[in-house]
Amino acid sequence: MTIRVDNLFANLPELYESEQSLSLFEKPSIKIERIVSQSYSSPENFWYDQAEPEWVIVLRGAATLEFEGGRFVEMKTGDHVTIPSHAKHRVHQTGPETVWLAVHVKGE
Amino acid sequence: MTIRVDNLFANLPELYESEQSLSLFEKPSIKIERIVSQSYSSPENFWYDQAEPEWVIVLRGAATLEFEGGRFVEMKTGDHVTIPSHAKHRVHQTGPETVWLAVHVKGE
């Protein structure tokens, strides 16, 4: 049995006004991914509308999420939120280098 | 709909040679917990033997895991591993303040 160690902050992409997702762990019931966002905003009028809840934490940098109805949620390093299923949201803005860890529940 | 923001590094306990777990998110299929370990080792001859895989990352500090058979895995901030089901392991030693995030798959 080999235990492989990877580092969340290694091999960060160089992006600009963009984001990159990387799957770290996936099972039928869950998916864990690293998301790197660099001065990123979701496209205008785009909303995530997910059938399953998502738990997400900012591990480097900062970001503001926007929820439908005009609620903005500011997140700094270490802040985590649970996004309920079908809570429409988008990335309003991230800092120049924001690293997230997102845990998606699948098929709950 | 209220989105609650909590910080992973807030309200850290003051422990000594001990550890504390705090559930952050729990569904039938997964559990996410913060574990704070301060100069902690698992009891001698104690082994975790989990029926389901666990994904774990060190987010502050450092730690060494020991796997059955004498393999030691050193982890620093940002390092993450997947611990397969029934991979017997224990905490060999953590630094003075180590904060982990553990994602347990349940009933896969």
Side-chain angles (χ1 to χ4, degrees):
Chain A
M1 179 189 62
T2 300
I3 301 293
R4 176 177 161 173
V5 182
D6 289 301
N7 193 278
L8 191 76
F9 303 109
N11 301 315
L12 295 180
E14 293 195 19
L15 308 166
Y16 179 67
E17 296 186 355
S18 185
E19 67 175 4
Q20 180 212 64
S21 296
L22 177 68
S23 178
L24 303 176
F25 179 80
E26 189 157 5
K27 294 283 175 185
S29 57
I30 73 164
K31 180 181 182 179
I32 303 175
E33 58 182 3
R34 177 185 84 175
I35 304 168
V36 179
S37 310
Q38 293 173 339
S39 304
Y40 179 71
S41 301
S42 297
E44 268 194 74
N45 300 316
F46 170 85
W47 297 95
Y48 291 100
D49 182 3
Q50 301 172 153
E52 302 293 344
E54 175 183 355
W55 184 90
V56 66
I57 184 168
V58 170
L59 291 175
R60 181 177 289 180
T64 304
L65 295 177
E66 179 183 1
F67 286 82
E68 196 181 36
R71 169 112 202 257
F72 292 84
V73 175
E74 294 189 11
M75 299 178 71
K76 60 184 188 304
T77 299
D79 282 348
H80 55 88
V81 297
T82 296
I83 301 174
S85 57
H86 294 301
K88 288 190 183 180
H89 64 285
R90 58 191 294 282
V91 177
H92 175 67
Q93 183 68 55
T94 77
E97 183 160 89
T98 300
V99 179
W100 315 74
L101 190 75
V103 181
H104 297 273
V105 176
K106 301 196 297 182
E108 184 79 349
Chain B
M1 179 189 61
T2 301
I3 300 293
R4 177 178 159 171
V5 182
D6 289 303
N7 193 278
L8 191 76
F9 303 109
N11 302 313
L12 296 179
E14 293 194 19
L15 309 165
Y16 178 67
E17 295 185 356
S18 185
E19 67 174 6
Q20 181 212 63
S21 296
L22 177 68
S23 177
L24 303 176
F25 180 79
E26 189 158 5
K27 293 284 175 186
S29 57
I30 74 163
K31 180 181 181 178
I32 303 176
E33 57 182 4
R34 177 186 82 176
I35 303 168
V36 179
S37 311
Q38 293 173 342
S39 304
Y40 179 72
S41 301
S42 298
E44 269 194 72
N45 300 314
F46 171 86
W47 297 95
Y48 291 99
D49 182 3
Q50 300 172 155
E52 303 292 344
E54 175 183 354
W55 184 91
V56 66
I57 184 168
V58 171
L59 291 176
R60 180 177 289 178
T64 305
L65 294 178
E66 178 182 1
F67 287 82
E68 196 181 35
R71 169 113 202 259
F72 291 84
V73 175
E74 294 189 11
M75 299 178 71
K76 60 184 187 306
T77 299
D79 282 348
H80 56 89
V81 298
T82 296
I83 302 174
S85 57
H86 294 300
K88 287 190 184 180
H89 64 284
R90 59 190 294 283
V91 177
H92 175 67
Q93 183 68 55
T94 77
E97 183 160 89
T98 299
V99 179
W100 315 74
L101 190 75
V103 181
H104 297 272
V105 176
K106 300 195 297 182
E108 183 80 349

